[in-house]
Amino acid sequence: MEPTILLTDDQIAFYHEHGYLAIEAITTQDEVDRLVGVYDRLFAEKAGRDKGDQFDLAGTDEEGKEASLPQILGPSNYAPEMRLTQAWANADAMVKQLLGPEGGVGGDHAIYKPPFHGAETPWHQDEAYWDPMWDYNSLSIWIPLQPATVENGCMWFVPGSHRTEVFPHHSINHDPRIHGLEIEGADVSGAVACPLPAGGATFHHSRTLHYAGANHSPMPRRAWIIGGGAPGKRRETPRSFPWNERKETARAERAKSS
Ligand code: NI
């Protein structure tokens, strides 16, 4: 599929300078409407739960307990039609604009904030979740499937924070049963909120500090996140992310036994 929307030179420069970018549209309202149907079905059917791909990002994720922040890793593995969308084609073209011709979209995930009680996503850097042995050249594209507002949990970024190292993190509430991470000791006083229309998008570098508030609205807050990158390289200086080694999550157990 050919891209229908590309980034402007100013948008590309903004991303590299500030480590994030917000655009008004990465796809159409029609496509957003179709994606909502697929998205809601995957959560309703608990797609991927057996394999550890669907779980509560901000809770202890016991069987039968309502999730405060349901997440699906790789929703397009369970609904391949998500890759045959204009959003996916545009995201791929935009990653190449930002990272060069070797760049492209990779995996995806979905984070759903239920009405009135969807939990906040604490401040973190995405790279803190990943294998510490690699240097990455990666970003995430966050696409809301309804308007994203401060009230329902839009994204916030700390401009320029992509130039920092990875800060220490810990599992939310210091509970190793919880998958979600929270940053330690970072100054987020300069953070900016990025409200968006449905089908808009934010981009952020793997080290950019970011946060999304709780959903205080009466409507679900659906976000589909597409990962993009160019090849990374193995680090010459080793580092460790002990917060991941300490984790004992139910999702990892399900992944092991599936
Ligand atoms: Ni993140």
Side-chain angles (χ1 to χ4, degrees):
M1 199 181 295
E2 291 300 312
T4 52
I5 305 171
L6 289 172
L7 300 176
T8 65
D9 289 346
D10 282 352
Q11 288 171 331
I12 294 168
F14 186 97
Y15 172 81
H16 289 300
E17 184 177 351
H18 300 291
Y20 78 98
L21 170 71
I23 64 172
E24 293 291 298
I26 196 167
T27 184
T28 62
Q29 184 63 51
D30 271 3
E31 187 168 271
V32 167
D33 293 342
R34 285 196 298 279
L35 281 165
V36 166
V38 175
Y39 191 101
D40 286 355
R41 174 172 58 79
L42 293 177
F43 279 99
E45 290 175 351
K46 300 268 183 237
R49 185 161 172 89
D50 293 354
K51 291 188 175 150
D53 284 344
Q54 182 164 168
F55 53 91
D56 188 356
L57 176 60
T60 48
D61 196 34
E62 286 101 338
E63 229 41 71
K65 183 177 173 184
E66 195 190 349
S68 60
L69 192 55
Q71 176 169 22
I72 302 174
L73 300 181
S76 67
N77 295 330
Y78 300 97
E81 64 270 35
M82 294 174 87
R83 293 187 201 130
L84 304 174
T85 52
Q86 204 60 62
W88 193 270
N90 290 343
D92 190 64
M94 291 171 181
V95 173
K96 288 177 170 57
Q97 286 185 285
L98 292 168
L99 303 181
E102 289 198 303
V105 299
D108 61 336
H109 63 277
I111 302 179
Y112 174 79
K113 289 190 198 267
F116 294 122
H117 64 274
E120 67 170 21
T121 316
W123 283 102
H124 67 279
Q125 294 163 296
D126 289 342
E127 197 172 318
Y129 282 89
W130 302 347
D131 182 343
M133 297 311 291
W134 289 83
D135 277 323
Y136 296 94
N137 190 7
S138 297
L139 55 81
S140 293
I141 305 172
W142 186 95
I143 305 169
L145 303 183
Q146 71 295 302
T149 63
V150 170
E151 188 198 14
N152 76 0
C154 69
M155 290 286 270
W156 293 70
F157 301 102
V158 176
S161 55
H162 61 308
R163 294 196 197 91
T164 61
E165 291 296 317
V166 175
F167 282 74
H169 284 66
H170 58 253
S171 284
I172 294 171
N173 299 337
H174 294 273
D175 185 338
R177 295 173 299 170
I178 298 179
H179 179 75
L181 293 174
E182 181 167 23
I183 202 164
E184 292 177 0
D187 175 9
V188 299
S189 55
V192 293
C194 289
L196 285 177
T202 61
F203 294 70
H204 65 272
H205 183 280
S206 62
R207 290 192 183 172
T208 302
L209 271 65
H210 59 286
Y211 164 89
N215 182 5
H216 299 290
S217 85
M219 305 295 288
R221 197 233 59 182
R222 305 172 184 88
W224 181 31
I225 301 103
I226 300 177
K233 58 177 193 295
R234 233 181 141 75
R235 282 177 66 86
E236 284 160 24
T237 358
R239 58 180 175 172
S240 67
F241 293 166
W243 48 88
N244 291 330
E245 294 159 25
R246 284 197 284 268
K247 273 191 208 171
E248 298 167 23
T249 62
R251 74 161 281 266
E253 286 305 311
R254 292 197 301 274
K256 241 185 270 170
S257 59
S258 70

